Amino acid sequence: MKQLLAKHHRLLFYGLWLLLGLLQARLTELQDDEAYYWVFSRHLDWGYFDHPPMTALLVKAGYAIFPNELGVRFFPLLLNILSLAIIERLTENKNPFLFYAIALSMAVIQLTGFVAVPDIPLIFFTALFFWCYKKFTAVQSVLHTFLLGLSIAFLLYSKYHAVLIVFFALLSNLKLFTKYQLYVAATFSLLLFAPHLWWQYQHDWVSFRYHLFESNVNAYKFSFTTDYILGQLLLAGPVAGFILLPAAVLYNTKTKTERALRFTLIGIYVFFLLSSFRGKVEGNWTSPALVAVIILAHQYLNERQHWQKWLYRLLPVTLLLVLFARVVMIVDVLPVKAIQTRYHAWKQWPQEMREKTKGLPVVFSNSYQRASKYWFYSGQMTYSLNLYKERRNNYNFWPVEDSLLGKPVYFLDIWDLWRFPDSMKTPIGFVGYKYDSAFISFSKVKINTPLKKIQIKENEEMSIICTITAPEHYKRFINGPGSASDTIRIGIYKAGKWQQDIFTGISLKRAIEQKSISLSINPALKPGNYFLRFAINHQFYPPTHNSEKIELVVD
């Protein structure tokens, strides 16, 4: 047995990792975001509201092979394993069993390594980038220049956090800026990334505006920072994180690549620590730093037997926790409502609801998660009608609403069940459903104004001139006989929260006919900083997003 382990340890480690990943991927119910990315894959594009297109492409390719949960996760799982293989190659002074212990001590890369989310390709291309960086800093050949540019482009196509990885790596080695090959690699990367930038330009840089100015902007709470710090220790463990993170930080780097890893590690953690003062930081946003944690902690522990002993002593605890979590994710054995709703709530009832809704398209109110999971598990086209009080998502851009306009649908929701003549009890609670012979929603109608900022005195009227644009088939529908009750309202927000509505009384039909409208309204607001957004509603459907934010300052 010892001889077998000594000779084939690498095959056994990666083979078992793959086997467990395949079982987990096939038997675990899709998570909310995974289902959302599956819908991404049904509308392949160079960009999306939330993320670049890499995850959608991986899901599309895998689902073409296995049309089930395994297919959604197949290529992310393979990238997870390849990430470990590249990271192992990046370690100096090889100690494979120490490397295995570190990898197995990180529960997150075991329990989420099969999940179809952007962090998986981001981690893989982070590892690949540092491998290419190592080759490039040694020899600036044509091949290494090409590979560096390619890895940067793939990083950027995975997640926008990739900018931090490239920035901090280059910051660690300023002499590279004297090498013309770096600019060749950057130009090549930019050319490869140009289709996505063109998509952003066509969509008014919507993703950049969202991530820079709309996402993660909340009134500060001290818990944002403390939760972030504790979360990073747990993310790197959860048990051994108190060993691995200090080890990675304390290690004195010896090569240019290790120095780049150290800069990236500290840079990412500090960047998101500062971000916690701006709003809540999700733990997974620092996921690419785990590449540096594994490599640098390996180097540090390899020189310190005492630290290694503690890592090996704690490893069984982590493995037991991971085994328990794997079972809980697959089998409904834990009577905890939150776990049941997350992992064991969607495989049966969507098919039952499909029969009740006669296979017609379904509209969910303001939930891309429920809409996406229902679409995946029922096979019915599903739309999320996003409320103007909440943030947009990619359902605001896909041609789903367009295809349903004026057609029979079923409207579903878990809130305000009094609105629905029928409801069905499901593991996520009661779901109300209602037949509509002609679905009407106008999120593709845009109300535009040249004003980005309005400044008025208290009790002063604000004047706004708007132009109305809509696709031609929307115009024909609006000018038809069934749209007389559609009206335009203005939502007022402060610190990201809805405050009140101003009802203009202007019908959508009139606005379309005139092509522009002029408003003079006293918002009756106290002094402060606000923003406003136009919305259109029809009958019992919630009002939709119909304009960009307009800053409003009341003095």
Side-chain angles (χ1 to χ4, degrees):
M1 182 66 182
K2 288 184 178 179
Q3 287 183 336
L4 178 67
L5 187 62
K7 189 175 182 180
H8 301 291
H9 58 82
R10 188 165 283 105
L11 178 62
L12 288 170
F13 174 76
Y14 289 104
L16 286 172
W17 196 289
L18 174 62
L19 179 61
L20 287 172
L22 289 171
L23 290 172
Q24 195 88 48
R26 181 63 184 95
L27 299 176
T28 304
E29 192 174 281
L30 279 196
Q31 301 305 289
D32 292 343
D33 285 352
E34 290 183 284
Y36 185 42
Y37 301 135
W38 174 78
V39 182
F40 274 36
S41 74
R42 299 179 68 86
H43 302 90
L44 275 186
D45 208 340
W46 284 106
Y48 300 93
F49 176 81
D50 315 75
H51 294 293
M54 181 61 72
T55 303
L57 186 61
L58 295 174
V59 171
K60 182 77 171 181
Y63 196 76
I65 303 171
F66 306 109
N68 50 39
E69 292 92 342
L70 176 59
V72 172
R73 295 160 167 161
F74 184 67
F75 282 105
L77 172 61
L78 293 185
L79 290 189
N80 173 247
I81 296 169
L82 290 173
S83 299
L84 291 174
I86 295 173
I87 293 169
E88 186 184 7
R89 288 182 65 86
L90 284 169
T91 57
E92 306 288 341
N93 305 319
K94 307 296 184 187
N95 186 341
F97 290 100
L98 174 60
F99 174 79
Y100 303 154
I102 293 172
L104 291 170
S105 295
M106 290 186 169
V108 67
I109 61 175
Q110 299 179 69
L111 296 175
T112 65
F114 66 93
V115 178
V117 293
D119 298 288
I120 300 301
L122 178 65
I123 291 173
F124 170 74
F125 288 114
T126 298
L128 184 65
F129 165 75
F130 281 111
W131 183 83
C132 295
Y133 177 87
K134 182 178 181 179
K135 298 292 184 182
F136 180 80
T137 52
V139 179
Q140 289 87 48
S141 65
V142 173
L143 176 61
H144 293 162
T145 300
F146 167 80
L147 290 176
L148 183 67
L150 190 66
S151 66
I152 292 172
F154 285 157
L155 260 177
L156 294 171
Y157 272 118
S158 299
K159 203 171 182 179
Y160 298 119
H161 296 169
V163 172
L164 298 176
I165 299 159
V166 178
F167 173 76
F168 289 120
L170 295 179
L171 187 65
S172 73
N173 189 358
L174 296 177
K175 289 183 179 179
L176 279 179
F177 288 96
T178 65
K179 307 290 185 181
Y180 78 88
Q181 293 92 338
L182 178 65
Y183 300 97
V184 174
T187 301
F188 178 58
S189 175
L190 187 61
L191 288 173
L192 292 176
F193 197 58
H196 178 72
L197 295 177
W198 178 250
W199 184 93
Q200 290 290 346
Y201 171 75
Q202 290 178 311
H203 293 81
D204 198 23
W205 308 100
V206 62
S207 303
F208 299 154
R209 287 189 291 105
Y210 168 68
H211 286 294
L212 290 174
F213 305 116
E214 297 180 33
S215 176
N216 187 38
V217 179
N218 308 105
Y220 178 68
K221 297 179 182 178
F222 185 64
S223 61
F224 289 166
T225 302
T226 55
D227 289 352
Y228 167 75
I229 295 171
L230 180 61
Q232 295 314 305
L233 288 168
L234 295 175
L235 193 70
V239 179
F242 296 88
I243 294 176
L244 298 178
L245 272 181
V249 173
L250 290 172
Y251 177 67
N252 292 319
T253 60
K254 298 177 177 64
T255 67
K256 292 177 181 178
T257 303
E258 288 178 350
R259 178 177 166 83
L261 286 162
R262 180 181 175 83
F263 266 65
T264 303
L265 171 70
I266 295 174
I268 287 176
Y269 282 139
V270 170
F271 177 86
F272 285 110
L273 175 64
L274 296 176
S275 296
S276 72
F277 293 99
R278 179 173 177 259
K280 185 175 176 60
V281 174
E282 300 294 336
N284 64 293
W285 290 355
T286 63
S287 60
L290 294 178
V291 174
V293 171
I294 295 173
I295 296 169
L296 299 179
H298 174 277
Q299 300 302 88
Y300 187 82
L301 297 179
N302 200 35
E303 301 169 354
R304 290 163 177 80
Q305 292 296 322
H306 181 68
W307 286 57
Q308 286 187 44
K309 288 180 181 178
W310 276 107
L311 180 70
Y312 289 127
R313 287 171 185 168
L314 294 173
L315 180 58
V317 179
T318 301
L319 292 177
L320 285 174
L321 290 173
V322 168
L323 177 62
F324 176 73
R326 287 185 185 275
V327 172
V328 167
M329 291 164 70
I330 295 173
V331 185
D332 188 7
V333 294
L334 205 62
V336 178
K337 185 65 175 177
I339 293 175
Q340 292 173 331
T341 302
R342 180 166 184 174
Y343 294 107
H344 310 289
W346 283 83
K347 288 203 172 183
Q348 300 297 328
W349 74 266
Q351 289 296 328
E352 298 175 20
M353 183 64 80
R354 180 188 175 95
E355 294 182 8
K356 294 180 181 295
T357 56
K358 303 176 179 60
L360 289 171
V362 162
V363 176
F364 269 93
S365 175
N366 205 52
S367 177
Y368 73 86
Q369 300 99 330
R370 287 191 288 275
S372 301
K373 288 188 81 167
Y374 185 86
W375 194 342
F376 182 85
Y377 282 109
S378 72
Q380 290 172 270
M381 177 185 284
T382 309
Y383 177 60
S384 173
L385 202 167
N386 296 318
L387 179 64
Y388 73 119
K389 295 180 181 179
E390 307 292 340
R391 78 171 183 89
R392 292 177 295 175
N393 54 57
N394 228 86
Y395 280 96
N396 290 89
F397 300 91
W398 286 321
V400 180
E401 180 190 88
D402 316 46
S403 65
L404 300 180
L405 187 64
K407 295 181 180 179
V409 300
Y410 271 86
F411 181 56
L412 274 64
D413 204 350
I414 64 171
W415 306 110
D416 299 330
L417 295 177
W418 54 266
R419 297 176 294 168
F420 300 92
D422 297 295
S423 65
M424 185 175 84
K425 187 176 182 180
T426 76
I428 68 168
F430 281 94
V431 177
Y433 59 100
K434 178 178 182 177
Y435 176 74
D436 184 358
S437 60
F439 173 67
I440 299 176
S441 176
F442 301 112
S443 68
K444 295 296 176 70
V445 176
K446 299 304 176 188
I447 301 176
N448 307 300
T449 174
L451 297 174
K452 300 297 182 183
K453 180 178 180 180
I454 300 172
Q455 190 161 358
I456 59 173
K457 302 290 185 182
E458 186 177 6
N459 293 320
E460 182 183 358
E461 287 190 342
M462 59 180 181
S463 298
I464 309 175
I465 298 176
C466 305
T467 58
I468 317 296
T469 59
E472 287 301 320
H473 67 290
Y474 276 75
K475 292 180 182 179
R476 290 193 295 271
F477 186 87
I478 292 167
N479 288 323
S483 298
S485 62
D486 307 322
T487 55
I488 296 173
R489 69 172 70 183
I490 299 173
I492 304 292
Y493 305 79
K494 186 175 184 180
K497 295 183 179 180
W498 175 84
Q499 300 294 306
Q500 66 182 52
D501 280 336
I502 298 174
F503 296 92
T504 67
I506 297 175
S507 73
L508 179 59
K509 180 179 289 189
R510 172 188 157 193
I512 289 290
E513 289 173 350
Q514 295 180 348
K515 297 182 180 180
S516 68
I517 53 176
S518 180
L519 299 171
S520 292
I521 297 172
N522 185 345
L525 296 170
K526 294 180 180 179
N529 295 320
Y530 304 83
F531 73 83
L532 60 88
R533 176 187 290 136
F534 285 90
I536 302 169
N537 64 288
H538 174 84
Q539 294 180 0
F540 58 86
Y541 288 113
T544 54
H545 293 255
N546 294 100
S547 76
E548 299 295 335
K549 291 181 177 179
I550 302 169
E551 187 179 356
L552 173 61
V553 178
V554 181
D555 297 322

